[in-house]
Amino acid sequence: LYTNLGTAIARIVGRTTKNFPNDFDPVVRMWVYEEMIGNEKLSEIINTRHENVKYLPGKIIPENVVAVTNLVESCKEANILVFVVPHQFVGKICHELRGKIGKDVQGISLIKGLSAPSAEKLGGVKLVSDEIQEILGIDVSVLMGANLAREVANDDFCEATIGCKKMALYGAMFKNLFNSENFRISVVEDAHTVELCGALKNIVACAAGFTDGLGYGDNTKAAVIRLGLMEITKFVEHYYPGSNLQTFFESCGIADLITTCYGGRNRKLCEAFVKTGKPLDQVEKELLQGQSAQGPLTAEEVYYMVHQSGLSEKFPLFVAVHKICKGELKPQEMISCLRQHPEHL
Amino acid sequence: LYTNLGTAIARIVGRTTKNFPNDFDPVVRMWVYEEMIGNEKLSEIINTRHENVKYLPGKIIPENVVAVTNLVESCKEANILVFVVPHQFVGKICHELRGKIGKDVQGISLIKGLSAPSAEKLGGVKLVSDEIQEILGIDVSVLMGANLAREVANDDFCEATIGCKKMALYGAMFKNLFNSENFRISVVEDAHTVELCGALKNIVACAAGFTDGLGYGDNTKAAVIRLGLMEITKFVEHYYPGSNLQTFFESCGIADLITTCYGGRNRKLCEAFVKTGKPLDQVEKELLQGQSAQGPLTAEEVYYMVHQSGLSEKFPLFVAVHKICKGELKPQEMISCLRQHPEHL
């Protein structure tokens, strides 16, 4: 568990576990990928000064949160595993943990994105929670929502949604683990919907970024966001049937979508892409300082999926975002792609 | 039919009616409240230069749109009446038209707001469409959506929702009347939901404005908007049962809500209210140049309604907005009111 969101979440979990001493072990082990900060090890800084100077400077981490640099060591006695790692490391980490964790472990993933099952992109994507579940053989719930790390770390009021398939058994436990005065949790059962909202909203944020870059106003942007949300609901309905429409009203749905389309990095990247006219890779390097934007990747994975299903016409926004990112379509043409949207027929 | 949105809509209707000569009379009469612009009458400027220099300067109005200054004259031969007037004039206008229009007239209202049935605010509000319907004895549909007048007038791509109770009979007709390349229409049957979204979103925009004024970030604002939307759905469910959850996903729902919470005047007013510390009336005068903000009025009407029903606890955001506008609660206390929101229980 690292990254800035990871550290922000560790601060919350460090506090909540102290509040429920009968339910939770007071010690929270946080896996830290070791780095040297000047002459000091990052893990030692965290364990002595209680601050992640690299990923969340200035924020005190509760003393019961302990940094552990050996991945297996950090997880082997855990009953609950919280996954907050960059998307691309999930597979490697899980394979390293395989067979070395307890049997009744409950996992929960905060990772937003989809896993492409093969380099050839043969259509079909995999949810990160399902990937973890398959490798480790444990139940994996998800936590998604409008949770920019900086604001969570500042203890600003925000909300999140937990998707927990075994809600009757573990819903209350997960809620207690994360719910706090300024981090308000709702728990729902259709975990797949929660997770798909978290991944697919990044495609919509790209569309919102193009809209901003082209200089359109509030109405157009709102229309683009709404049409994007409609494609998210249609995608979930088609590929993961059985979702509850109400779940899209949770923080993982509209709230995260709004935040991402106004304040997130995919929006920023795609706005700059239009304004500068530079290739997307180059803008990403210049603008995001080493962080990656999931939107274009997710758009590509989803494109192949709907294309192979013969459903491209039902997802004109998703398709347009992919083609614009690839340079196959000019950003200026996006709105024309939306004018005959199935929503308007 | 006047105001800047009125003129923007007249431009659209002027064009669409020409496209369907078998369905619509080619002449669109637009009631204009006569004013002198220098030495010229506004109506004469519109009918000769085809521009509403007061409310929509720089935009050409199709020649088949004719300004008429006598209200009864402008409506007496009409089959369709489009209402786009400031909320507070609806009653007076309808009483003037009573008995002087055809029997089979179909009305459609673009007016956002609720009518308070009495000065004593005895609880209970009335929809503007119902008010028109009662006075004139005609069917009244509604058109709502993310439609800031300036952008509609610019022919920017946007969407709108028509709520038409007799959808099978008149849905297609209304769609043809308004739908155009950059003004995309969806028609739904639960007109009350459409209209309530248009009115209640202004309360949420006030809350968003307070949030901005207090300096909160994107997560908090998204949470506030979401909780506001949840109260809108609960309000509709309780007072106007039978709504379709899908309708909240239309342009009249989330799209208009987003636009209003990011770009609208209620947001702007309430942000300035917090930042300046001046009374709301004064800020409104200074900031809105004679235009009025519906949010605080709607919050007051809704407050009395939920208070009298004993439901205040179910609508903490609506109640907090009203109390903050009245000076009974400090803006800083809004977030505390949301922390124990029924959505989080």
Side-chain angles (χ1 to χ4, degrees):
Chain A
L1 178 132
Y2 65 115
T3 74
N4 47 1
L5 182 60
T7 308
I9 292 292
R11 295 178 74 233
I12 290 176
V13 170
R15 280 180 249 148
T16 55
T17 49
K18 278 194 283 192
N19 292 341
F20 294 95
N22 295 332
D23 295 336
F24 299 115
D25 189 325
V27 177
V28 176
R29 275 171 293 272
M30 168 167 81
W31 174 53
V32 170
Y33 185 83
E34 191 67 291
E35 300 178 54
M36 293 304 290
I37 309 291
N39 295 322
E40 295 177 282
K41 290 179 176 168
L42 179 57
S43 64
E44 285 176 10
I45 297 174
I46 293 173
N47 288 337
T48 54
R49 304 217 300 268
H50 305 292
E51 180 185 349
N52 186 338
V53 291
K54 171 124 189 202
Y55 290 105
L56 206 66
K59 295 291 169 189
I60 295 302
I61 301 167
E63 301 194 5
N64 58 330
V65 176
V66 177
V68 178
T69 57
N70 181 294
L71 176 66
V72 172
E73 199 67 33
S74 70
C75 298
K76 71 177 183 191
E77 287 175 16
N79 298 112
I80 304 169
L81 291 179
V82 183
F83 293 86
V84 200
V85 296
H87 181 213
Q88 63 270 31
F89 300 146
V90 172
K92 187 173 172 296
I93 286 171
C94 288
H95 282 291
E96 208 175 320
L97 286 175
R98 191 174 187 160
K100 289 164 191 157
I101 56 169
K103 290 214 159 147
D104 299 326
V105 166
Q106 286 291 314
I108 185 163
S109 164
L110 280 70
I111 302 161
K112 292 176 179 173
L114 296 172
S115 293
S118 73
E120 295 84 27
K121 300 272 165 47
L122 290 172
V125 295
K126 188 174 278 185
L127 297 179
V128 172
S129 67
D130 286 341
E131 189 185 2
I132 300 173
Q133 192 147 5
E134 282 176 26
I135 303 175
L136 294 177
I138 60 174
D139 292 331
V140 183
S141 295
V142 294
L143 184 152
M144 305 276 150
N147 308 133
L148 295 176
R150 189 188 53 232
E151 295 184 32
V152 176
N154 276 338
D155 292 319
D156 288 342
F157 178 78
C158 67
E159 299 183 299
T161 314
I162 289 176
C164 180
K165 283 172 230 161
K166 295 183 177 170
M167 188 164 137
L169 280 174
Y170 301 111
M173 184 270 285
F174 277 126
K175 180 159 182 166
N176 288 341
L177 186 62
F178 292 100
N179 196 46
S180 54
E181 208 189 7
N182 285 311
F183 195 68
R184 310 301 299 163
I185 301 289
S186 301
V187 186
V188 301
E189 203 147 15
D190 53 343
H192 282 158
T193 305
V194 174
E195 189 166 8
L196 283 161
C197 283
L200 299 173
K201 59 124 207 264
N202 288 325
I203 309 179
V204 184
C206 289
F210 297 141
T211 310
D212 286 342
L214 292 165
Y216 284 106
D218 294 311
N219 290 353
T220 306
K221 185 166 176 176
V224 166
I225 295 172
R226 186 190 88 81
L227 290 171
L229 178 59
M230 291 301 91
E231 294 193 16
I232 294 176
T233 66
K234 289 288 171 297
F235 186 93
V236 174
E237 202 174 274
H238 187 266
Y239 294 100
Y240 294 83
S243 71
N244 181 349
L245 200 58
Q246 193 79 48
T247 301
F248 297 99
F249 286 117
E250 296 293 342
S251 180
C252 64
I254 50 159
D256 195 14
L257 183 67
I258 295 172
T259 297
T260 310
C261 290
Y262 281 87
R265 70 172 86 122
N266 287 286
R267 188 213 69 80
K268 192 175 163 188
L269 170 69
C270 289
E271 181 186 37
F273 172 68
V274 175
K275 285 191 170 167
T276 64
K278 294 179 188 174
L280 198 63
D281 293 359
Q282 192 184 334
V283 184
E284 188 168 2
K285 261 181 214 143
E286 291 174 10
L287 205 67
L288 301 184
Q289 291 137 8
Q291 292 195 295
S292 67
Q294 294 292 333
L297 299 172
T298 307
E300 183 169 17
E301 291 158 6
V302 163
Y303 171 75
Y304 283 103
M305 202 160 161
V306 302
H307 182 68
Q308 292 221 330
S309 313
L311 293 175
S312 302
E313 285 183 7
K314 292 202 185 292
F315 299 96
L317 184 140
F318 288 174
V319 169
V321 167
H322 169 64
K323 291 191 170 173
I324 293 168
C325 288
K326 285 287 167 191
E328 296 166 19
L329 193 72
K330 285 184 183 164
Q332 289 76 4
E333 295 175 69
M334 185 180 69
I335 297 297
S336 334
C337 297
L338 302 183
R339 219 167 254 131
Q340 298 303 326
H341 200 284
E343 281 293 311
H344 300 142
L345 302 181
Chain B
L1 178 133
Y2 66 114
T3 75
N4 46 1
L5 182 59
T7 308
I9 292 293
R11 293 179 75 233
I12 291 176
V13 170
R15 280 180 250 148
T16 55
T17 48
K18 277 193 282 191
N19 292 342
F20 294 95
N22 295 331
D23 295 337
F24 299 117
D25 189 326
V27 177
V28 175
R29 277 170 291 272
M30 167 167 81
W31 174 53
V32 170
Y33 184 85
E34 190 68 289
E35 300 179 52
M36 293 305 290
I37 309 291
N39 293 323
E40 295 177 282
K41 289 179 178 171
L42 179 57
S43 63
E44 285 175 10
I45 297 174
I46 293 173
N47 288 337
T48 53
R49 304 216 298 268
H50 305 292
E51 180 185 347
N52 186 338
V53 291
K54 170 122 190 205
Y55 290 105
L56 206 66
K59 295 293 169 189
I60 295 303
I61 301 168
E63 301 194 4
N64 58 329
V65 175
V66 178
V68 178
T69 56
N70 181 293
L71 176 66
V72 172
E73 199 66 34
S74 71
C75 298
K76 72 177 182 191
E77 287 176 17
N79 299 113
I80 304 170
L81 291 179
V82 182
F83 292 86
V84 201
V85 297
H87 182 211
Q88 63 269 30
F89 301 145
V90 172
K92 187 173 172 297
I93 286 170
C94 288
H95 282 291
E96 209 176 319
L97 287 176
R98 191 173 188 163
K100 289 164 191 155
I101 56 169
K103 290 216 158 148
D104 298 326
V105 167
Q106 286 291 314
I108 186 164
S109 164
L110 280 69
I111 302 161
K112 292 176 179 173
L114 295 171
S115 293
S118 72
E120 295 84 27
K121 301 274 164 49
L122 291 172
V125 293
K126 188 175 280 186
L127 298 180
V128 172
S129 66
D130 286 341
E131 189 185 2
I132 299 173
Q133 191 147 7
E134 282 176 25
I135 302 175
L136 293 178
I138 59 173
D139 292 331
V140 183
S141 295
V142 295
L143 184 151
M144 306 275 150
N147 308 131
L148 296 175
R150 191 188 50 231
E151 295 185 32
V152 176
N154 276 337
D155 292 319
D156 288 342
F157 178 79
C158 66
E159 300 182 299
T161 314
I162 288 176
C164 179
K165 282 172 232 162
K166 295 183 178 170
M167 189 164 136
L169 280 175
Y170 301 110
M173 184 269 285
F174 277 126
K175 181 160 182 165
N176 288 341
L177 186 62
F178 292 100
N179 196 46
S180 54
E181 209 189 5
N182 286 310
F183 195 68
R184 309 301 299 163
I185 301 289
S186 301
V187 187
V188 301
E189 202 147 14
D190 54 341
H192 282 159
T193 305
V194 174
E195 189 166 7
L196 283 161
C197 284
L200 298 172
K201 60 124 207 264
N202 288 324
I203 309 179
V204 185
C206 290
F210 298 141
T211 310
D212 286 342
L214 293 164
Y216 284 106
D218 295 310
N219 290 353
T220 305
K221 185 166 175 177
V224 166
I225 295 172
R226 187 191 87 82
L227 290 171
L229 178 59
M230 292 299 93
E231 295 192 16
I232 293 176
T233 66
K234 289 286 171 299
F235 186 94
V236 174
E237 202 174 273
H238 188 268
Y239 294 101
Y240 294 83
S243 70
N244 182 350
L245 200 57
Q246 194 77 48
T247 301
F248 296 99
F249 286 115
E250 296 292 342
S251 179
C252 65
I254 51 159
D256 194 15
L257 183 67
I258 295 172
T259 296
T260 310
C261 289
Y262 281 86
R265 71 173 83 124
N266 287 285
R267 188 214 69 80
K268 190 175 165 189
L269 169 71
C270 289
E271 181 186 37
F273 172 67
V274 174
K275 285 191 170 168
T276 64
K278 294 179 187 173
L280 198 62
D281 292 359
Q282 194 184 333
V283 184
E284 189 169 0
K285 261 181 215 144
E286 290 174 10
L287 205 66
L288 300 185
Q289 291 137 7
Q291 292 195 297
S292 67
Q294 294 292 333
L297 299 172
T298 307
E300 182 168 17
E301 291 158 5
V302 162
Y303 171 74
Y304 284 103
M305 203 160 160
V306 302
H307 182 69
Q308 291 220 333
S309 314
L311 293 175
S312 301
E313 286 182 8
K314 290 202 184 295
F315 299 96
L317 184 140
F318 288 174
V319 169
V321 167
H322 168 64
K323 290 191 171 172
I324 293 168
C325 288
K326 284 287 166 193
E328 294 166 19
L329 193 73
K330 285 182 184 166
Q332 289 75 6
E333 295 176 68
M334 185 180 69
I335 297 298
S336 335
C337 298
L338 302 184
R339 221 168 252 128
Q340 299 304 325
H341 199 283
E343 282 293 310
H344 300 143
L345 302 182

